[in-house]
Amino acid sequence: MSAVPILGVIEGFYGRPWTPAQRGRLFARMAAWGMNTFLYAPKDDRWHRQLWRDPYPEAEAEALRGLVEDACQHGLQFVYALAPGLDLDWADDGDRRALAEKFVHVQRLGVEHFSLLFDDIPYAVDRAAQAREQVSATHHVMDTLWPDGQAGLLLLCPTEYCGERAAPSVATSPYLKALGEGLRPGVEILWTGPQVVSTEISVQSVREVNEILRRPVMIWDNLHANDFTLHRVNLGPYAGRPLELRGLVAGLLSNPNNQLELNTPGLFSLTDYASGKSDWTPEASLDRALEVWLPAFNTSSIHRVSLDDLRLVSHLLYLPGGLGPQAVRVLDVARALVNPQTGAEEREALVRELRTVRHRVITVLRALEAGPNRDLLFDLHPYLVDVAEELQRLIVWASHRGEDDPEVFSYRGSLADRLMTLGWKT
Ligand code: GDL
């Protein structure tokens, strides 16, 4: 039994939205794991954000209707989000009308729960005034949708949606204060924690924001999001959130990796956290999640993937806050290998260790290549290849030291890789 009333997934990332078939698979998993809410907010559905005023064309409208039905059949609340903030002019009657009409259009497609997103838009000079306009837009939408009183969820994503965006601070932000004072109690407010991608969300930080917003926040969790980088995918557990947090929030919604098939560890572990007992730990939760995920890897008779192999893959591609324990070891081994002080004998042992790691990564890759689960293969392939290739280059280089150096260090990364290695801190 989940300790939070609203538990689910946000399709809220930038980039290619999921397909109806992908969402169908997600809904089945969410239902099986005990989640109850799906927030539809793909930044690059044009009618969600760029063309927010326009109704969905016929084919897209039918697809949306089908999606709402699909969610409903899986027992999930489907929340439709509109993101009008890029150019909504609240002083303009036409825009007020357009906003109301768009929500009614979506309501006619069967949607019962709604959301207004004002994230990632320019700040007004007077932020409190900006908040008051957003309050007024939200109430206008509610009154249009529900003339007899609120009949579904209404979620609002503020422009200051995390601690680092609150000015001058969470406790003293005129913007957050105006939202808290102005918004009707039935409106839930989304919050990503201290940062956009919060590696930790403390109890104290949530108490602070709840106080100024005068309600428990609904967490929009970007812990597993990866739309801001090509360099990583997040296969670690739900972590960095104390269990006590569950009693302080209106809900927990994860905006996960773009690669749908790679979200089983993070999403399963989130549901596991939501219903976890006092001895719950991220590490144990990860193992339970990987057990659920493992059969997806063992669909061919040619290669077998073990739970240990999968744990290794998860540790190599872990969480934004840090590497998994086995990746920490791999990095230590690699550092020792490139250290000129390391003796020949030790080097051999280190190379053997890296070969084993690489072999296990390749085993996972081969198992997927041989099986029918192409979606999982294609989602995971780039990341496994990336790790295996870099390990191989290191192994070849280390094995040839003292001989003619093979050409393994020609630079293969991008400008972005080089910028990342500059080592400055924000
Ligand atoms: C954001 C965006 C979100 C994006 C995420 C990670 C919120 C509220 N908005 O700021 O769409 O996926 O960062 O890049 O999180």
Side-chain angles (χ1 to χ4, degrees), residues 195-343:
Q195 284 90 33
V196 175
V197 177
S198 300
T199 54
E200 295 192 349
I201 303 180
S202 71
V203 164
Q204 195 271 333
S205 74
V206 169
R207 282 196 207 284
E208 187 180 37
V209 69
N210 284 352
E211 191 174 326
I212 190 156
L213 292 176
R214 302 182 176 203
R215 72 205 72 205
V217 284
M218 169 101 52
I219 299 292
W220 167 313
D221 209 321
N222 285 323
L223 182 65
H224 289 83
N226 71 341
D227 59 353
F228 50 88
T229 177
L230 284 178
H231 300 272
R232 58 172 310 118
V233 68
N234 302 299
L235 305 187
Y238 196 67
R241 284 90 175 113
L243 291 174
E244 201 187 335
L245 205 73
R246 300 175 304 183
L248 300 173
V249 297
L252 292 168
L253 297 170
S254 166
N255 177 39
N257 294 296
N258 291 45
Q259 294 78 4
L260 180 83
E261 294 305 319
L262 307 187
N263 285 324
T264 294
L267 294 182
F268 181 89
S269 169
L270 167 60
T271 56
D272 192 54
Y273 163 89
S275 57
K277 304 230 161 49
S278 58
D279 59 353
W280 186 90
T281 65
E283 295 75 22
S285 178
L286 177 64
D287 266 10
R288 286 189 286 275
L290 296 180
E291 268 170 39
V292 168
W293 205 22
L294 189 61
F297 289 80
N298 284 321
T299 51
S300 97
S301 51
I302 305 178
H303 299 278
R304 297 307 289 174
V305 174
S306 67
L307 190 62
D308 272 352
D309 296 331
L310 202 51
R311 197 182 296 111
L312 171 68
V313 168
S314 160
H315 284 196
L316 296 179
L317 303 162
Y318 206 60
L319 287 173
L323 304 171
Q326 295 186 57
V328 171
R329 171 68 193 160
V330 168
L331 198 57
D332 284 346
V333 170
R335 286 200 176 112
L337 259 185
V338 299
N339 182 348
Q341 312 291 323
T342 306

Side-chain angles (χ1 to χ4, degrees), residues 12-14 43 119-120 157 161 192 196 220 222 225 227-228 255:
F13 45 76
Y14 292 87
K43 284 278 191 294
D119 58 319
D120 292 4
C157 184
Y161 57 84
T192 67
V196 175
W220 167 313
N222 285 323
D227 59 353
F228 50 88
N255 177 39

Side-chain angles (χ1 to χ4, degrees), residues 377-391:
L377 168 67
F378 299 148
D379 278 355
L380 193 52
H381 178 273
Y383 301 99
L384 294 186
V385 167
D386 204 28
V387 173
E389 280 290 303
E390 294 311 317
L391 287 173

